[in-house]
Amino acid sequence: MIEKGGAGMIDIHTHILPGIDDGAADWEHSIGLARAAAAEGITGIVATPHHYDGKYTNDAVIVRELTIELNNKLTELDIPLKIQTGQEIRAHSEFLSNWQSGKLLPMGDSSYVLIEMPSSQIPRSMEQIVYELRLLGVRAVIAHPERNAEVVQNPDRLAELVELGAYAQVTTHSLLGGFGRGIEKASWTLCRRGLIHIVSSDAHNLEWRGFRLKDAYERVEAELGPAWRRYFERNAQAIWNGRELTDQPALAQPSAKAAGWSKLKSLFGK
């Protein structure tokens, strides 16, 4: 049982475990990511290596073993960070049977599971997966829907999944323009429609896919108001501690500063 998180930030989507997907290449990179997270004020991370995505298969046993080893190394190095187990599981036809057989991991000790859709479309099986998981007392958290072409074209498709009981997680780099202007715009559209429930880094490496969680929360506060920053922060804490997510605040009018920033960006196309 992992010690529960304190007052620091929680990141529920990362690729910090070494050598098992396209995230941290080895222990040196994994520890480097951990140091960077702690320096930013992150106190808890859920390790979510890719699983069933056609390239990587990281079964529950492997993830648990590496998470224990990483936590031991962090303790030895006096890095103030705790890691919980998880997987970023691609939606697939055997999802429900694999879940019931114990091959798939929730995030930490919670009843939330991180699900990835392909970038081109929403799989036909998504509605059934979300609905059936809900019947089992499990809540689907959809990873970075702002990077899914069908969601970008028609946000109502994501709204339908949320109605069925799914939550959605936006990536810090998406909010900050790291994946381009189109994805940045889509991210804020989804946020303003109340279709995003958690902000996380999807950190892979220190070079160009780090955490930037603090930067993203500051941007959320500027664009949507402090109540939404608290909402996203508390939801990450809730998943870490295995609790219910909080109710969404009302969408505030953008501050003069945020409105001015948005106007400048629209004028200059950035």
Side-chain angles (χ1 to χ4, degrees), residues 12 112 139-142 145 158-159 161-163 165-170 190-191 193-200 217 228-237 239 245-248:
I12 60 106
Y112 302 92
R139 301 298 286 267
V141 176
I142 299 172
L158 178 60
L161 295 173
V162 170
E163 275 291 312
Y167 293 115
Q169 168 260 310
V170 73
L190 296 177
C191 285
R193 286 196 53 175
L195 297 176
I196 296 296
H197 309 85
I198 308 111
V199 175
S200 304
Y217 281 142
W228 277 86
R229 175 178 181 159
R230 290 193 297 271
Y231 169 74
F232 289 136
E233 288 176 330
R234 288 170 180 167
N235 279 349
Q237 285 273 0
I239 290 175
L245 269 59
T246 58
D247 293 333
Q248 286 188 342

Side-chain angles (χ1 to χ4, degrees), residues 60-79:
V61 174
I62 296 168
V63 177
R64 288 193 185 102
E65 288 175 352
L66 285 173
T67 300
I68 290 170
E69 192 171 355
L70 179 54
N71 274 311
N72 289 339
K73 288 180 183 294
L74 297 180
T75 300
E76 290 168 9
L77 294 167
D78 201 27
I79 299 172

Side-chain angles (χ1 to χ4, degrees), residues 145-159:
E146 77 282 0
R147 286 153 55 192
N148 177 278
E150 188 172 347
V151 171
V152 171
Q153 287 185 331
N154 186 5
D156 287 342
R157 293 288 289 115
L158 178 60

Side-chain angles (χ1 to χ4, degrees), residues 20 70 270:
I20 58 174
L70 179 54
K270 295 180 179 179

